[in-house]
Amino acid sequence: MGLLHAADWRAEWLRVEEVTPEDAAQKPAPPKLSVISAVYGTHDNQRKFDVTEKVRESVASKGGVLMVQASNANFGDPAVGGGKRLEVVYEVAGKRYTVSAGEGMFVTASEPADAFEAPRVKRLQTPRYLRRDFSVADRPVRATLYATALGLYEMRLNGQRVGDALLTPEWTAYDKRVQVQAYDVTPLVRQGANALGALLGNGWYCGTVQCWPPQICLYGYEPRLKAQLEIECADGKRQIVATDDAWLGSLDGPLRFSGIYEGETYDARKEMDGWDAPGFKSDARWQPALIDRAAKAGALVWQRSEPICVTRELKPVAVTEPKPGVFVFDFGQNMVGWTRLNVRGAAGDTIELFYNEMLNPDGTVYRDNLHAGKMGKAQSQTVRYTLRGGADETYEPHFTYMGFRYVEVAGLKAKPDASLLTGRVFHTAFQQTGNFTCSDPQVTRLVENIQWSQRGNMMGIPTDCPQRDERAGWAGDAQFFMPTAVYNFDVAAFFSKWLFDMCQDSFVEGKGFADMAPYYGKLGAGNTGWGDAGVVCPYVLYRTYGDTRVIEAHYAKMKRHVLTLSSACTNSIRGPGAYGDWLNVGGGAKGEVCGTAYQVYLAELMAEMAAATGQGADAASFGAMAREARAAFRKAFFREDGSIAESSQTGYALAFTMGLVPEALRGKAAAKFKGEVERFKDCVATGFIGTPRLLTGLHAAGLDDAAYRMLLRREYPSWLYPVTLGATTIWERWDGWRPDKGFQDPNMNSFNHYAFGSCGHYLFECVGGIAALEPGYQTFTVAPVIGEGLEWAAASYDSIYGKIVSEWRKSGGKVQLKVVVPPNTRAVISLPAASAEQVLEGGVPLANAPGLSFLGAGDGHVRVHAGAGTYAFGF
Ligand code: BGC
């Protein structure tokens, strides 16, 4: 993927006029256009016709719109060939314009744009088909297609789909930046006749986006396409085919409707065979596409992250018939994407597919939780396909996605075969980097569930959920989950992209970073844990990959965020924030405790990031700010007995992971923390703010026994409770569904929300014990916590230097630990053994083991320094 240099763009934004009677009534009359002259003839002027009157008639018959085809048929020239053109001079509001087009093409008025302004009635637009023929004189040796849309597009070239990226150009604040995708299409372009085609849908640009209640047309009123094909031929000539006035558009194709939340409607009877191939004869279903110079689009930027692609297919594991004629396909896994339909039947039959995550007691698909605003559930996650009839038909949607494990199928004439539907899983196509398995299959499943929720909620941006009418770039969720996310998958590119959305495009003057990105001005900014993502996420990215560019890119905005919030504090105490410890079940902490803890943490991160980028003065002043805020926290909230005011598990988790506990109170505070764990009988009672730090907080407090007990707890509320109920992803709420109570509040009850999966990093960082010492893992620790309740654990992380492995197993009162340290890295390995004499490596005493040097022993641990290699410890 690359980017065409700004000066090399020849393409225009293209739109296809869709005027309903409703639009026509609302549309102001365009300024009057009068044709001054029109000439049709050969380029060499040998043949020339004055066609002014004919063009005037055409304009009059189209209600004042200039849109006329330069053709012999229109202008009565019997001489075929010779390459003619039409040139029209016209006037609007006292200004003259000249437009022209070659034979077969349309002349359209392109100025002033206002005369052709998009309809201003907000409604969902019909998907567009666009096409253009072109011919290539010589053999093409290289061809690159650059494409983007205000909306969503799929490009086609000579009858084939271009690339495999989905939902392009993905979601950004379109008024600020629009991503461009580049495709190598050399194998698709040929000498002679060619055709480019495009499908264009509303997407987030002018489709539905949740604004409490949902709204449409947030960025614009209709979708537009911009594309440029650059061809280099064997003879050295270059040819450009761009979106220009030679494109035709159709609103009458088979894709009848498409919406991110809503799904798609496709009528295969309307398919236009060959529309995307050369030689297609366009008919009345096609009209000239219009150049839109009024389109307001942000800067065209390259795509930083991996594209959204299908990464795996799932076959149904069961098909049931809960009601006569209603079939439910179970994919065995809550997934995000869509299904491929393979069907045969009669023309005009319509099949309806309803997608969601859980079942009703009667075995039909539960859909009440799709409804979270004004949009009815009947419009959510639904595919309607009308058959063309006769042969086997295959269909996959285009501009939507669904969160589902089950699909309810209606409209079939007979019981279907399982091959009717294939699950297609897609997301930003990052590589998996983390693996964790252990002796407790439910903990292993928990990690898989966390990873599935990450796949499902990283769709160009990190989302809260993938199914109901929300799917927003909630920054809090991303921030809470990020320390876990970076173990699971290589998210360097993904977060690099989103941090532009967050840090550059979602800064609200006077408030700091918005609570979500892309931000469309509808909700808050600067709220504890949410807006703070704009500082925390760049930091986690930097720590994981050791690349300071993320700091440099966003430093100024991060600094303003922290200064804005610190100046809003009263005596260094930050206010409560809008969401508090969201969805906690009694184990939270009051808003000021969370806010002030975050204020200390942000200042610490800024000090570290300033130092890492050579900004000494800032490092010092943020360091001072952190000290002041920490002192204020201690004074306001810590009591002599080690307790934290109005705090339960969350308050202690923050204090122990954010360096807030006074040294003198460590023991007492740890005892209070333990008390809060016991008060809830080892259950997890924290919300979004506390949960990511709960187990690592207990670890920092020296309470790994309690951490293990909480991790392994199966009763409600706990991480394993949903696993015992068959969950295959992380639920938004601890009690999304309970056998004794049924479903939680359908207005907000997602079964695929990664926020509570934010405990995952404890498994890699503490149970496996793999953690970076230096940003980027050139040095790291392997310090596994070998606790009660697990017999073995195997963790690995593919760092940017290579795979780090930590695998331990208890046997006969001893422990075997395998550690892999990749090339060009060094590790500090901490073994839970009383003395070096108790430890063997590769069967020999530590002192004789190659590659290791002894660092020290104490607190029940032996520490060694290890160079690259594979080690087998026994102790
Ligand atoms: C979302 C959350 C989000 C929250 C803000 C919810 O509707 O689903 O995950 O962080 O709003 O409190």
Side-chain angles (χ1 to χ4, degrees):
M1 300 263 174
L3 179 64
L4 205 55
H5 193 273
D8 296 327
W9 274 104
R10 298 282 173 275
E12 305 275 6
W13 288 108
L14 280 194
R15 52 185 284 264
V16 181
E17 186 84 321
E18 179 171 31
V19 185
T20 63
E22 193 193 11
D23 295 326
Q26 298 246 348
K27 196 177 173 184
K32 205 170 143 30
L33 177 150
S34 50
V35 176
I36 308 298
S37 67
V39 176
Y40 184 65
T42 52
H43 294 282
D44 57 7
N45 282 335
Q46 291 293 313
R47 293 172 70 78
K48 218 168 150 184
F49 300 91
D50 180 349
V51 294
T52 312
E53 270 320 308
K54 287 203 161 130
V55 173
R56 281 186 184 144
E57 278 163 26
S58 157
V59 169
S61 73
K62 292 194 172 91
V65 172
L66 172 61
M67 196 189 291
V68 59
Q69 193 178 20
S71 68
N72 287 353
N74 276 347
F75 301 121
D77 180 8
V80 176
K84 300 186 198 78
R85 64 188 291 104
L86 171 68
E87 185 172 290
V88 179
V89 179
Y90 66 93
E91 205 175 88
V92 178
K95 274 185 83 178
R96 278 207 177 177
Y97 304 89
T98 303
V99 280
S100 63
E103 192 175 339
M105 304 303 176
F106 282 81
V107 165
T108 55
S110 44
E111 300 285 352
D114 282 358
F116 301 95
E117 208 179 40
R120 287 295 177 256
V121 179
K122 282 192 176 184
R123 63 185 164 75
L124 292 170
Q125 301 270 316
T126 311
R128 276 85 162 124
Y129 287 73
L130 289 125
R131 73 175 313 279
R132 185 203 204 277
D133 284 302
F134 62 98
S135 94
V136 179
D138 196 5
R139 186 171 57 84
V141 290
R142 188 181 154 99
T144 311
L145 176 66
Y146 300 89
T148 189
L150 298 172
L152 296 174
Y153 76 87
E154 240 181 64
M155 292 301 297
R156 323 242 347 148
L157 182 49
N158 293 334
Q160 297 203 36
R161 193 187 194 286
V162 174
D164 57 359
L166 302 172
L167 305 179
T168 46
E170 303 184 4
W171 192 2
T172 50
Y174 297 103
D175 49 338
K176 302 212 167 63
R177 70 187 75 230
V178 183
Q179 300 193 124
V180 176
Q181 287 75 37
Y183 308 90
D184 179 0
V185 291
T186 315
L188 298 182
V189 178
R190 50 192 182 227
Q191 192 169 3
N194 290 266
L196 266 171
L199 249 79
L200 186 59
N202 299 328
W204 297 276
Y205 179 80
C206 52
T208 320
V209 171
Q210 180 59 278
C211 293
W212 299 268
Q215 285 181 24
I216 62 168
C217 300
L218 222 52
Y219 299 96
Y221 293 84
E222 58 177 346
R224 285 107 162 167
L225 175 76
K226 191 172 214 164
Q228 184 158 322
L229 172 61
E230 302 258 332
I231 305 163
E232 293 165 41
C233 286
D235 64 359
K237 288 212 186 84
R238 291 170 65 88
Q239 185 179 345
I240 293 177
V241 183
T243 41
D244 58 12
D245 58 8
W247 287 64
L248 296 177
S250 177
L251 300 158
D252 204 17
L255 187 56
R256 303 308 310 144
F257 171 78
S258 138
I260 296 282
Y261 303 144
E262 296 92 333
E264 264 185 22
T265 302
Y266 188 91
D267 185 345
R269 292 170 305 177
K270 294 178 86 69
E271 281 173 354
M272 306 176 283
D273 295 338
W275 71 276
D276 51 359
F280 175 73
K281 296 268 171 288
S282 55
D283 55 16
R285 293 164 74 181
W286 294 81
Q287 53 178 291
L290 303 175
I291 289 175
D292 187 356
R293 298 208 173 100
K296 288 195 181 59
L300 298 182
V301 298
W302 53 284
Q303 168 145 356
R304 288 172 189 274
S305 60
E306 299 88 345
I308 296 169
C309 288
V310 171
T311 58
R312 62 180 79 191
E313 284 194 353
L314 296 181
K315 302 258 179 262
V317 295
V319 182
T320 57
E321 189 176 2
K323 282 183 186 170
V326 171
F327 300 95
V328 172
F329 284 64
D330 175 2
F331 285 89
Q333 171 62 51
N334 195 18
M335 57 167 280
V336 178
W338 57 47
T339 54
R340 182 173 57 228
L341 172 70
N342 288 302
V343 69
R344 201 184 171 98
D349 282 359
T350 296
I351 295 172
E352 289 185 303
L353 307 172
F354 303 104
Y355 298 74
N356 209 9
E357 309 171 300
M358 301 288 275
L359 293 179
N360 287 311
D362 69 359
T364 55
V365 172
Y366 173 76
R367 306 183 69 229
D368 294 352
N369 66 333
L370 292 179
H371 171 71
K374 274 190 181 163
M375 201 173 74
K377 59 184 171 166
Q379 280 81 49
S380 292
Q381 301 212 123
T382 300
V383 164
R384 294 191 171 85
Y385 180 86
T386 301
L387 278 81
R388 186 171 178 166
D392 287 339
E393 297 177 41
T394 301
Y395 164 76
E396 276 189 52
H398 305 266
F399 304 129
T400 183
Y401 69 93
M402 348 267 176
F404 66 101
R405 169 175 169 169
Y406 302 98
V407 186
E408 189 173 303
V409 186
L412 290 169
K413 298 263 163 62
K415 188 173 164 53
D417 197 80
S419 64
L420 182 84
L421 296 179
T422 306
R424 303 265 286 163
V425 177
F426 58 81
H427 52 89
T428 294
F430 33 50
Q431 296 293 314
Q432 188 158 344
T433 47
N435 282 290
F436 181 93
T437 51
C438 67
S439 54
D440 186 324
Q442 290 186 331
V443 175
T444 300
R445 182 68 232 194
L446 172 69
V447 176
E448 284 169 22
N449 291 3
I450 293 169
Q451 294 177 336
W452 272 104
S453 282
Q454 181 165 351
R455 287 186 192 100
N457 280 296
M458 293 200 170
M459 200 63 85
I461 63 159
T463 61
D464 55 335
C465 59
Q467 72 300 86
R468 67 169 176 241
D469 51 354
E470 185 153 3
R471 312 185 192 186
W474 280 105
D477 305 41
Q479 187 264 115
F480 302 130
F481 186 65
M482 194 168 169
T484 295
V486 294
Y487 278 107
N488 290 332
F489 296 92
D490 174 0
V491 289
F494 174 82
F495 273 104
S496 297
K497 180 268 178 186
W498 181 69
L499 284 170
F500 276 87
D501 303 338
M502 179 70 193
C503 298
Q504 298 306 314
D505 300 345
S506 305
F507 189 87
V508 181
E509 279 313 321
K511 289 188 170 174
F513 293 122
D515 299 333
M516 58 165 63
Y519 178 62
Y520 29 92
K522 296 296 171 189
L523 279 172
N527 282 302
T528 302
W530 270 258
D532 300 336
V535 176
V536 181
C537 295
Y539 175 77
V540 178
L541 203 69
Y542 157 64
R543 287 289 311 179
T544 308
Y545 303 106
D547 188 344
T548 51
R549 283 175 301 178
V550 65
I551 305 176
E552 280 143 12
H554 307 303
Y555 187 83
K557 288 275 168 47
M558 293 195 276
K559 182 172 170 179
R560 273 168 69 193
H561 175 82
V562 177
L563 294 181
T564 302
L565 287 163
S566 98
S567 63
C569 289
T570 311
N571 299 327
S572 292
I573 300 299
R574 183 165 162 185
Y579 316 109
D581 191 18
W582 187 251
L583 298 183
N584 78 79
V585 282
K590 80 166 176 175
E592 285 82 352
V593 168
C594 299
T596 310
Y598 259 90
Q599 204 55 29
V600 179
Y601 182 56
L602 296 183
E604 288 283 15
L605 302 191
M606 287 307 293
E608 191 180 330
M609 289 191 281
T613 48
Q615 306 179 74
D618 274 14
S621 65
F622 280 118
M625 182 192 278
R627 281 193 295 281
E628 205 175 298
R630 186 182 298 110
F633 183 96
R634 288 174 177 173
K635 187 162 169 242
F637 306 123
F638 257 110
R639 304 194 193 101
E640 275 313 301
D641 63 355
S643 63
I644 306 173
E646 291 181 66
S647 288
S648 177
Q649 295 171 353
T650 291
Y652 296 94
L654 296 179
F656 275 100
T657 55
M658 291 176 167
L660 302 170
V661 186
E663 211 35 57
L665 291 180
R666 273 194 88 77
K668 287 181 178 171
K672 293 287 177 194
F673 195 0
K674 189 162 172 261
E676 287 305 312
V677 173
E678 286 164 0
R679 188 159 76 86
F680 289 96
K681 302 191 173 55
D682 298 334
C683 284
V684 189
T686 47
F688 279 27
I689 289 184
T691 303
R693 294 172 176 271
L694 186 53
L695 296 180
T696 45
L698 289 167
H699 176 71
L703 298 169
D704 277 300
D705 288 355
Y708 259 63
R709 287 200 306 277
M710 290 189 105
L711 172 66
L712 299 174
R713 183 89 184 156
R714 280 151 173 85
E715 291 72 17
Y716 165 82
S718 67
W719 284 288
L720 294 186
Y721 177 67
V723 177
T724 64
L725 298 173
T728 57
T729 39
I730 301 298
W731 296 355
E732 178 174 24
R733 296 174 180 267
W734 296 116
D735 56 353
W737 182 81
R738 289 178 55 151
D740 52 336
K741 296 193 173 161
F743 289 106
Q744 249 278 10
D745 178 0
N747 283 313
M748 214 189 77
N749 193 24
S750 138
F751 292 92
N752 200 352
H753 234 76
Y754 54 46
F756 282 159
S758 57
C759 63
H761 66 130
Y762 178 80
L763 295 162
F764 289 96
E765 197 176 302
C766 299
V767 179
I770 301 170
L773 268 178
E774 256 182 309
Y777 283 87
Q778 195 170 27
T779 58
F780 58 91
T781 52
V782 177
V785 174
I786 299 171
E788 279 304 309
L790 293 184
E791 289 311 301
W792 59 267
S796 70
Y797 170 63
D798 275 304
S799 76
I800 53 173
Y801 289 95
K803 193 190 276 294
I804 301 170
V805 175
S806 165
E807 289 175 16
W808 55 260
R809 180 177 290 275
K810 298 174 185 167
S811 78
K814 298 237 179 225
V815 176
Q816 306 292 328
L817 170 69
K818 177 184 163 185
V819 175
V820 177
V821 181
N824 303 311
T825 66
R826 281 159 292 129
V828 172
I829 302 174
S830 178
L831 308 159
S835 72
E837 290 68 43
Q838 291 179 0
V839 183
L840 299 177
E841 193 286 310
V844 299
L846 261 195
N848 305 336
L852 297 178
S853 52
F854 180 67
L855 286 176
D859 300 336
H861 285 83
V862 170
R863 276 173 295 280
V864 292
H865 191 275
T870 298
Y871 302 93
F873 297 98
F875 48 89

